[in-house]
Amino acid sequence: NAGVTQTPKFQVLKTGQSMTLQCAQDMNHEYMSWYRQDPGMGLRLIHYSVGAGITDQGEVPNGYNVSRSTTEDFPLRLLSAAPSQTSVYFCASSYRGASTTEAFFGQGTRLTVV
Amino acid sequence: ELKVEQNPLFLSMQEGKNYTIYCNYSTTSDRLYWYRQDPGKSLESLFVLLSNGAVKQEGRLMASLDTKARLSTLHITAAVHDLSATYFCASNFGNEKLTFGTGTRLTIIP
């Protein structure tokens, strides 16, 4: 089972460039989310989706777009990269409502903006 | 404001010793999660605590939840080097969005 797959694992961008971080899950989970991890700040929620066609903002959404056209995929788009977006990005998926639900995380994408 | 606070942020322990990591959260939550992260790796789920008084144990790690005090603890018994990692707690505050603490970087010293 693949679980949650993120690509790429590493990326270097120049300021102003755009790119899409890919996230796919094969567990038929309704809920998917994107987090960024910065030193000393834990993980912060960027955007999330409760199902295909439904997305919403998290704690730090500025500079990022998402869409959810299928249950499996939840790409994160950086519109115009800035050095402040240098971070490690994690995608997660979970199923809603189950008493023992937990979030499964991808392996992360380490992004450097120069 | 939804907040999750962990302490300590850094912890150096000698092998064989016991210690506890504390996780306080700001408002009602129906689930409390503990994750482990090794350097350069993803997050690995350790425990999901669902109700007041819940206690879960796996090997040398034991997690508990006190919803009245809005406090969860992760207790480490007789620490070994393999437990060196960063530990995060997170709360869902009644929905599927997780709010994470800043993490506790644990180093086990021989």
Side-chain angles (χ1 to χ4, degrees), chain B residues 45-56:
Chain B
S45 178
L46 295 175
F47 302 108
V48 181
L49 303 170
L50 301 177
S51 60
N52 188 44
V55 176
K56 290 194 174 181

Side-chain angles (χ1 to χ4, degrees), chain B residues 21-95:
Chain B
I21 300 170
Y22 297 88
C23 175
N24 291 91
Y25 53 97
S26 60
T27 188
T28 301
S29 168
D30 58 2
R31 293 173 203 152
L32 196 293
Y33 302 80
W34 284 96
Y35 287 90
R36 168 182 171 146
Q37 185 180 39
D38 293 303
K41 303 295 185 180
S42 185
L43 280 77
E44 172 191 358
S45 178
L46 295 175
F47 302 108
V48 181
L49 303 170
L50 301 177
S51 60
N52 188 44
V55 176
K56 290 194 174 181
Q57 183 165 4
E58 181 72 33
R60 300 175 187 273
L61 300 177
M62 183 175 71
S64 65
L65 179 62
D66 181 344
T67 58
K68 294 180 181 178
R70 295 179 186 162
L71 171 68
S72 180
T73 60
L74 180 66
H75 187 73
I76 302 149
T77 302
V80 293
H81 179 71
D82 286 352
L83 292 179
S84 294
T86 299
Y87 293 85
F88 291 95
C89 65
S91 173
N92 72 324
F93 293 115
N95 56 45

Side-chain angles (χ1 to χ4, degrees), chain A residues 31 33 36 46-47 54 57-58 61 66 72 79 95 102-103 106 113:
Chain A
Y31 189 83
S33 52
R36 60 177 289 173
I46 305 171
H47 285 286
I54 306 170
Q57 296 181 348
V66 292
E72 294 78 19
L79 308 173
Y95 49 95
E102 61 180 281
V113 182

